[in-house]
């Protein structure tokens, strides 16, 4: 076998994944839905190796030291991948591998690098075993999910849903395509108020979701209506409907976070000032703009082509913030 290289991008969730029914297997408690971005990219090369060896580099070529926790996460992910492939009757994955990550994603800026990394790794593993077994995209999404729940969605370009599925089987939850990147030209201005390390990562956060008294109602809302409304809005390119369900869901997730034990407060005063600024701007000018926030203070300002210039001007006017401009993009792919 020869080394295999894959490339992938992060995605931004419109219906947020928050909480698992099984934390170890990352079986989500509810469906989620996202838009894959066109950059920044992660590139991963995998090869056979006598022992697991993981190295990570920034876009300028400098090595990024991996702490023990991160190295252990790759080791656990390889074991889970073997377990999943065994359920498909395959032992094609090598006993050990070398993994070289080259990431253009700046650290701790509120762009989910774990989604891009494990989405990319799933694609690379699929390429490595392809001579023996051909995995569908949905099966590849399971491998992504086993490293980071949101990574399952980065296997697909455009809009993708991660279905919670049912039961405790390792492959029970898979992602699927809703519409590809040619369906609707949307953009995401990532407005980053702070580049500080976040205090509680998503993995730890998922584990306490159930302690919030608001969590059951959240699961019910997604199950009975929100996910379906979001899919409909995308298929019809109905921005107003997409705005309303996306913002409801993001604010609802943050209410769950803030009422869990311990409470997780990711949004800062600056976050709220930015999102209120977006509300004011679109009220005055009837612009197609929406906001959403993940597990951090970063605001994602999504817009259509028609509102892009105004969104750019708004983003650039936010004092003290770093801005990234991204658009809808393709899913993870093999490059060699
Ligand atoms: C708020 O996928 O980062 O961004 O499975 O532990 O890696 P792990 O969690 P992760 O959680 C994502 C949380 C979110 C919402 C989302 O992307 O759906």
């Amino acid at each position: 076998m020869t080394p295999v290289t894959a490339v992938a991008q992060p995605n931004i969730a419109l219906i947020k994944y928050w909480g698992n029914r099984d934390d170890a297997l990352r079986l989500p408690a509810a469906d989620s839905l996202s838009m894959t971005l066109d950059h920044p990219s992660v590139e991963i090369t995998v090869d056979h190796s006598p022992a697991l060896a993981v190295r990570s580099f920034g876009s300028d070529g400098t090595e990024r030291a991996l702490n023990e926790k991160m190295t252990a996460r790759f080791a656990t992910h390889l074991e889970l991948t073997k377990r999943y492939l065994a359920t498909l009757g395959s032992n094609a994955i090598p006993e050990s591998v070398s993994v070289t990550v080259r990431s253009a994603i700046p650290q701790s800026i509120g762009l989910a690098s774990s989604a891009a990394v494990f989405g990319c790794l799933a694609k690379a593993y699929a390429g490595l075993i392809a001579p023996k077994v051909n995995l569908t995209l949905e099966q590849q999404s399971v491998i992504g999910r086993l490293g980071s729940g949101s990574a399952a969605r980065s296997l697909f370009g455009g809009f993708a849903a991660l279905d919670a599925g049912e039961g405790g089987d390792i492959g029970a939850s898979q992602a699927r395509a809703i519409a590809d990147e040619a369906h609707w030209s949307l953009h995401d201005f990532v407005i980053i108020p702070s580049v500080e390390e976040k205090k509680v990562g998503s993995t730890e956060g998922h584990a306490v979701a159930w302690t919030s008294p608001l969590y059951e109602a959240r699961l019910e809302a997604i199950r009975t209506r929100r996910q379906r409304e979001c899919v409909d809005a995308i298929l019809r390119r109905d921005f107003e409907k997409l705005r309303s369900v996306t913002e409801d869901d993001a604010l609802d997730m943050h209410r769950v976070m803030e009422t869990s034990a311990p409470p997780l407060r990711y949004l800062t005063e600056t976050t709220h000032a930015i999102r209120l600024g977006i509300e004011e701007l679109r009220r005055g000018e009837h612009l197609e703009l929406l906001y959403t926030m993940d597990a951090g203070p970063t605001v994602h300002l999504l817009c259509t082509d028609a509102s892009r210039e105004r969104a750019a001007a708004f983003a650039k006017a936010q004092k003290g913030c770093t801005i990234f401009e991204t658009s809808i993009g393709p899913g993870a792919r093999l490059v060699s």
Side-chain angles (χ1 to χ4, degrees), residues 13 16-17 26 73 114 148-150 153 202-203 206 253 294-295:
K16 308 288 186 187
Y17 152 53
R26 289 188 161 81
R73 188 165 175 173
S114 65
S148 178
S150 52
R153 302 181 309 235
S202 308
T203 304
H206 288 297
M253 177 183 73
D294 282 343

Side-chain angles (χ1 to χ4, degrees), residues 27-62:
L27 285 168
D31 297 343
S32 60
L33 203 154
S34 64
M35 175 173 109
T36 302
L37 304 175
D38 63 351
H39 78 280
S41 297
V42 167
E43 187 186 279
I44 295 184
T45 302
V46 292
D47 200 359
H48 285 241
S49 166
L52 177 67
V54 186
R55 295 185 74 183
S56 176
F57 299 87
S59 51
D60 60 356
T62 25

